[in-house]
Amino acid sequence: MVTKKQTVLSGTQPTGALHIGNYLGSLKKFVEIQNQYQCYFFLATYHSITGDYNPQEKKQQIFDLALDYLATGLNPEKCVIFNQADVPECTELAWIFNTITPLSELERMTQFKDKAAKQTKNINAGLLNYPILQAADILLYHPDFVPVGQDQLQHLELTNNIVRWFNNKFGQYFKPVKPILTKMPKVMSLAEPDKKMSKSAGPKHYIAINDEPEIIKEKLAKAVTGTGQENHLPPGGLNLLILLEEFGTKEETTYFQKQLKNKNIKYSELKQTLAQAISQYFADFREKRKKLAQKPQDIEKILKNGADQARPIAQKTLKEVKKLVGV
Ligand code: ADP
Ligand code: TRP
């Protein structure tokens, strides 16, 4: 008997450089599971325009994210890679979901509250409706699993509520989805280690996966840690140690854990070791990315191909939904 592969879907916003938080929280998982499942990985362009941005830069950001996807190892022969804006069925499904989602559910979303507090002059309706578009992105493809970082779990809960509201009103159709979390679902900021690492906070908060070794060294040198003599491990120190576990060797980790136990951890030494480990880890990635960047037509072709594969599935779902909804 031929068993159908289970389906995975996830997206990332093209809003600038991908950082090691994005990588450890989601992208690394995408690369691992592409062999195992039928995967759809897209660029969440329509989500990205709910933030403040410069329209002249968007095309480059889309190109950059596609490069990051490919250079970290996503293989267009194995998974479907596309730009959300090339499969606009998601916006039509989002409209239908808008009509069954209570306003109060959107207003209580943590990401909405955080972003509204940051971009006070641009609290647009798209920012509020963002998780509905995300639910539409997901449910168009009926996936089993959605790999994301911890900050997106609330949106997946809302997606599953939308499944319930839809099925109650229009008849059983969508199935709930399950998140896949990595071992590192929340990497902390270098400059403010009690907050998650995020692109929007500014470059001193994150290490981009495409940063050159010199930059990585400089950013880590300025990372907030502690004195090394504290009785407890400060969050910044903990963050760096956890990162070393991910990027360094076992010996390096054991060495610094021993220092920590003896309350004489030398953060300057830890930062240098970690800088080297991260630079080394992404060395092949940087090379591959440079090569790919020289052939923009190839990237365009991959995105077009991906959209051509995704669109018929999206169209089929939308047709079935419209019938159920009676329009
Ligand atoms: P950002 O929050 O930096 O703008 P995105 O919203 O585009 O990044 O997130 C892309 C993916 O990376 C999502 O799955 C998100 O949950 C994950 N992610 C973002 N920041 C982190 C982090 N600091 N640690 C782990 N995963 C993260
Ligand atoms: N909101 C996600 C983020 O900021 C990006 C995203 C949009 C997404 N649509 C999605 C993630 C669908 C998973 C599934 O990271």
Side-chain angles (χ1 to χ4, degrees):
M1 192 177 84
V2 185
T3 46
K4 208 173 149 265
K5 268 193 186 174
Q6 287 184 299
T7 304
V8 162
L9 172 136
S10 193
T12 312
Q13 299 186 64
T15 43
L18 277 193
H19 53 70
I20 54 174
N22 299 133
Y23 179 74
L24 295 175
S26 65
L27 191 49
K28 186 175 179 212
K29 190 53 121 194
F30 298 178
V31 178
E32 281 165 18
I33 60 183
Q34 63 179 334
N35 298 315
Q36 206 177 337
Y37 299 105
Q38 170 61 53
C39 292
Y40 298 86
F41 297 121
F42 68 95
L43 322 183
T45 306
Y46 281 145
H47 283 97
S48 76
I49 62 171
T50 61
D52 294 323
Y53 78 105
N54 176 351
Q56 261 93 53
E57 287 171 6
K58 192 48 70 186
K59 203 161 178 239
Q60 184 64 40
Q61 290 179 332
I62 292 169
F63 182 64
D64 282 342
L65 178 57
L67 285 181
D68 284 341
Y69 267 8
L70 295 166
T72 44
L74 285 188
N75 179 348
E77 309 272 310
K78 291 184 181 162
C79 58
V80 179
I81 301 172
F82 65 99
N83 180 354
Q84 181 190 41
D86 293 336
V87 187
E89 280 74 11
C90 58
T91 58
E92 203 173 339
L93 184 60
W95 181 261
I96 294 172
F97 288 165
N98 269 322
T99 66
I100 56 166
T101 307
L103 184 57
S104 57
E105 291 286 328
L106 296 174
E107 284 167 338
R108 71 179 187 82
M109 291 290 118
T110 314
Q111 183 178 298
F112 169 66
K113 288 192 271 191
D114 286 352
K115 290 194 175 171
K118 275 190 202 142
Q119 52 186 80
T120 48
K121 294 205 178 85
N122 181 15
I123 308 179
N124 60 79
L127 202 58
L128 180 72
N129 289 323
Y130 179 115
I132 296 195
L133 180 59
Q134 184 162 350
D137 287 333
I138 296 172
L139 296 174
L140 274 177
Y141 302 93
H142 306 285
D144 297 283
F145 303 107
V146 182
V148 282
Q150 195 170 12
D151 59 318
Q152 295 300 312
L153 288 182
Q154 200 184 30
H155 290 167
L156 295 196
E157 275 167 32
L158 183 80
T159 300
N160 284 341
N161 283 335
I162 289 178
V163 167
R164 201 161 38 85
W165 298 325
F166 185 96
N167 290 352
N168 282 344
K169 187 159 180 175
F170 302 113
Q172 282 300 317
Y173 179 69
F174 289 114
K175 67 168 190 249
V177 296
K178 293 183 202 72
I180 297 184
L181 284 183
T182 66
K183 213 167 84 211
M184 292 281 288
K186 193 174 182 185
V187 177
M188 307 312 281
S189 150
L190 299 181
E192 286 177 82
D194 52 334
K195 300 206 177 98
K196 77 157 197 150
M197 184 175 280
S198 168
K199 311 172 236 212
S200 55
K204 68 174 182 183
H205 290 262
Y206 66 81
I207 294 174
I209 59 176
N210 194 34
D211 275 344
E212 291 295 337
E214 266 316 299
I215 305 282
I216 299 178
K217 211 164 136 191
E218 270 169 41
K219 285 185 178 173
L220 275 174
K222 291 190 193 130
V224 171
T225 49
T227 60
Q229 263 99 55
E230 296 92 344
N231 280 325
H232 65 283
L233 180 59
L238 175 65
N239 196 34
L240 299 192
L241 263 183
I242 296 178
L243 288 173
L244 188 65
E245 259 176 57
E246 285 291 323
F247 294 116
T249 63
K250 216 170 157 119
E251 290 72 33
E252 286 166 337
T253 311
T254 319
Y255 173 76
F256 286 103
Q257 272 164 351
K258 218 181 259 167
Q259 282 193 359
L260 179 70
K261 214 167 139 206
N262 298 333
K263 292 203 183 67
N264 68 350
I265 185 159
K266 295 185 191 63
Y267 284 121
S268 56
E269 200 184 335
L270 170 60
K271 286 172 171 182
Q272 279 177 24
T273 307
L274 181 59
Q276 217 164 27
I278 297 178
S279 305
Q280 182 63 35
Y281 186 95
F282 289 106
D284 288 347
F285 162 82
R286 288 192 299 273
E287 278 313 301
K288 196 166 166 200
R289 195 181 190 284
K290 274 182 203 133
K291 278 200 194 119
L292 286 166
Q294 286 162 3
K295 294 191 172 164
Q297 338 66 275
D298 289 3
I299 308 291
E300 265 172 44
K301 219 185 275 165
I302 288 169
L303 290 180
K304 183 180 179 304
N305 231 328
D308 288 345
Q309 290 179 69
R311 205 175 301 110
I313 303 167
Q315 283 170 342
K316 178 170 181 285
T317 302
L318 196 61
K319 198 170 160 201
E320 290 167 356
V321 165
K322 284 167 92 169
K323 197 166 167 211
L324 287 168
V325 173
V327 295

